[in-house]
């Protein structure tokens, strides 16, 4: 019942992709266990250097012989003025003091040219390591990069939040498109539309994208179980990409406090914010988000703001202070469970089978 274009192309048993959550969540054990359990494990490599990607890729290959993938952030041009930096640092000063962060003078502000160089190095190592699948978020890489990846028989996926973005992804030559609904946790994958215009609910987005592109559509955003998988398939998707459901798994690299916050948060306590990174993302409401809310529109763009708050997020995690952590989560936290990857995938398959048989 699960055999379709996506399972055939990705060589997976079930049309389930583990979302590539950047920042240490996608450990080698998590990624490999997803692939070994019949899904597609993905590394969130947006913040990683090429050498770190190479190291993890080789580690995963020792844990699974099945397909897995790596996700990269497409660089978006950014500039920051001294005034913006000064204002942002003034806003962040009380939080640094609260967390006893002493020195912030050694924070290296990202340079766009260096970000682009890093991106090209990341792509290069994916080709060198013969990674089977590469997905992109925050935009579309150049046609040259897509062509080169496909020449090396690497399957290429793009991320879209609107029909227009999905159409552009198909035009670029990518093999599949992940459509991200507004329910999704973490950063938004929009690149053509502004934040407000990209806030389309997943079940409105899926059929509209399906009607306008011919490449396989994968749905993402708030999907946690077999019900979400079957609903997505009924609307025309060929598979699902799930983040929060895997984030709370035992193999996940998310901090225990992050996992516990997701497990004990009701659906009305997630909120969109750009206070942590300078890019809109969905996470669990806390003191940092609420205190920064009035000023977030004026903050530097990603990745500058993300760099400025790195010390705060790190210190808060070490001190187990959830009020100042970026607790990314989708809109279905009540459905999250503390379980193994194998148990999660087995339960999704079992529930889907029961739904199909009308039991």
């Amino acid at each position: 019942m699960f055999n379709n274009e996506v399972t055939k192309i990705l060589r997976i048993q079930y049309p389930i992709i583990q979302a590539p959550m950047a920042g240490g969540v996608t450990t080698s054990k998590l990624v490999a266990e997803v692939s070994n359990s019949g899904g597609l494990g993905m590394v969130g490599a947006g913040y990683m250097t090429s050498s770190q990607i190479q190291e993890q890729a080789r580690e995963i290959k020792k844990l699974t012989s099945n397909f897995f993938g790596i996700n990269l952030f497409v660089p978006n041009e950014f500039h920051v003025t001294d005034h913006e930096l000064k204002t942002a640092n003034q806003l962040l000063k009380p939080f640094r003091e609260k967390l006893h962060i002493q020195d912030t003078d050694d924070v290296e502000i990202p340079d766009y040219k260096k970000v682009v160089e890093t991106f090209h190095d990341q792509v290069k190592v994916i080709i060198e390591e013969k990674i089977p699948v590469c997905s992109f978020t925050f935009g579309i890489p150049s046609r040259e990069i897509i062509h080169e990846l496909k020449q090396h028989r690497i399957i290429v996926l793009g991320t879209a939040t609107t029909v227009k973005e999905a159409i552009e992804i198909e035009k670029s030559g990518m093999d599949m498109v992940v459509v991200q609904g507004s329910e999704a946790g973490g950063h938004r994958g929009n690149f053509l539309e502004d934040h407000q215009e990209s806030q389309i609910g997943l079940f409105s987005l899926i059929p509209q994208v399906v009607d306008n592109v011919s490449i396989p559509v994968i749905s993402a955003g708030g999907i946690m179980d077999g019900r979400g998988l079957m609903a997505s398939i009924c609307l025309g998707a060929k598979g699902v990409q799930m983040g929060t459901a895997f984030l709370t798994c035992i193999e996940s690299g998310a901090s225990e406090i992050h996992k516990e916050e997701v497990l004990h948060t009701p659906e009305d306590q997630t909120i969109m914010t750009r206070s942590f990174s300078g890019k809109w993302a969905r996470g669990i409401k806390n003191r940092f988000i609420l205190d920064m809310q009035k000023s977030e529109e004026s903050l530097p763009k990603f990745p500058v703001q993300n760099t400025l708050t790195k010390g705060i997020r790190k210190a808060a995690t070490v001190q187990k202070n959830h009020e100042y952590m970026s607790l990314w989560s989708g809109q279905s936290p009540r459905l999250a469970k503390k379980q193994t990857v194998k148990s999660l995938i087995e339960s999704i398959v079992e529930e889907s089978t029961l739904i199909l048989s009308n039991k």
Side-chain angles (χ1 to χ4, degrees):
M1 67 177 252
F2 293 115
N3 294 333
N4 61 33
E5 280 180 276
V6 166
T7 56
K8 184 179 179 181
I9 294 169
L10 297 179
R11 299 187 191 179
I12 53 180
Q13 191 175 358
Y14 310 118
I16 300 169
I17 299 172
Q18 161 249 309
M21 299 164 279
V25 176
T26 54
T27 61
S28 297
K29 192 171 183 181
L30 174 71
V31 174
E33 196 60 28
V34 173
S35 293
N36 286 333
S37 299
L40 182 75
M42 294 286 295
V43 178
Y47 302 123
M48 296 168 68
T49 63
S50 57
S51 59
Q52 288 172 328
I53 293 173
Q54 184 182 60
E55 183 181 350
Q56 185 165 9
R58 292 179 178 181
E59 193 173 71
I60 293 169
K61 288 174 186 176
K62 292 178 182 177
L63 299 174
T64 184
S65 58
N66 296 334
F67 268 26
F68 69 95
I70 289 175
N71 173 266
L72 300 178
F73 295 161
V74 177
N76 288 278
E77 196 166 354
F78 61 89
H79 303 282
V80 61
T81 65
D82 290 339
H83 176 71
E84 285 177 320
L85 284 175
K86 185 179 179 181
T87 302
N89 279 316
Q90 284 177 339
L91 288 167
L92 295 174
K93 186 178 180 181
F95 303 108
R96 290 170 176 153
E97 291 175 349
K98 176 80 175 179
L99 295 166
H100 309 292
I101 300 170
Q102 299 298 324
D103 189 14
T104 58
D105 293 334
D106 58 348
V107 175
E108 186 179 351
I109 304 304
D111 175 77
Y112 177 63
K113 288 182 179 179
K114 288 183 180 179
V115 170
V116 172
E117 287 174 12
T118 298
F119 175 69
H120 284 284
D121 289 341
Q122 291 173 325
V123 172
K124 185 179 178 182
V125 80
I126 284 173
I127 292 170
E128 289 173 351
E129 290 298 319
K130 299 178 181 178
I131 306 301
V133 182
C134 181
S135 72
F136 294 95
T137 309
F138 304 161
I140 300 175
S142 68
R143 286 184 178 272
E144 290 76 18
I145 287 176
I146 294 171
H147 179 68
E148 188 176 9
L149 288 168
K150 294 184 76 169
Q151 271 195 321
H152 287 85
R153 297 184 179 179
I154 295 171
I155 301 154
V156 187
L157 282 66
T159 308
T161 63
T162 64
V163 172
K164 190 187 296 183
E165 289 176 347
I167 290 171
E168 290 304 311
I169 283 170
E170 180 173 42
K171 284 181 181 177
S172 73
M174 292 196 194
D175 300 295
M176 302 179 192
V177 58
V178 177
V179 295
Q180 184 190 41
S182 59
E183 304 91 337
H187 288 99
R188 303 294 300 146
N190 60 303
F191 58 94
L192 289 179
E193 311 292 351
D194 288 334
H195 164 62
Q196 291 297 338
E197 286 75 17
S198 71
Q199 292 293 303
I200 302 164
L202 182 62
F203 285 2
S204 291
L205 187 59
I206 296 170
Q208 295 183 82
V209 172
V210 169
D211 287 351
N212 284 278
V213 300
S214 59
I215 56 175
V217 172
I218 296 160
S219 66
I223 300 166
M224 304 288 283
D225 54 26
R227 292 172 294 182
L229 170 59
M230 295 308 292
S232 295
I233 289 174
C234 283
L235 290 169
K238 298 295 184 181
V240 295
Q241 180 173 282
M242 304 166 63
T244 307
F246 284 106
L247 186 147
T248 58
C249 282
I250 292 166
E251 297 89 346
S252 158
S255 66
E256 286 305 311
I257 191 168
H258 190 169
K259 292 180 183 180
E260 287 300 315
E261 285 296 312
V262 173
L263 290 167
H264 296 95
T265 293
E267 78 290 344
D268 60 354
Q269 291 302 302
T270 69
I271 190 173
M272 298 300 299
T273 181
R274 67 184 299 272
S275 299
F276 281 110
S277 70
K279 187 169 180 64
W280 291 101
R282 183 179 295 284
I284 296 171
K285 193 185 298 184
N286 61 10
R287 178 53 49 198
F288 183 86
I289 291 174
L290 293 175
D291 286 354
M292 291 288 285
Q293 211 164 24
K294 292 180 180 178
S295 308
E296 64 184 353
E297 291 284 0
S298 65
L299 296 172
K301 288 185 178 180
F302 179 90
V304 177
Q305 179 69 6
N306 195 64
T307 301
L308 295 177
T309 65
K310 185 177 181 180
I312 292 171
R313 289 178 281 118
K314 185 177 180 180
T317 302
V318 171
Q319 297 173 33
K320 297 182 179 180
N321 190 334
H322 67 92
E323 294 291 358
Y324 305 98
M325 293 170 60
S326 53
L327 303 167
W328 304 138
S329 172
Q331 281 189 319
S332 305
R334 289 183 190 268
L335 303 179
K337 294 178 182 178
K338 187 174 184 179
Q339 60 189 327
T340 63
V341 164
K342 186 178 180 181
S343 295
L344 171 60
I345 292 179
E346 284 179 349
S347 67
I348 293 169
V349 173
E350 183 180 355
E351 188 173 29
S352 300
T353 305
L354 286 172
I355 291 169
L356 198 65
S357 61
N358 293 315
K359 290 183 180 178

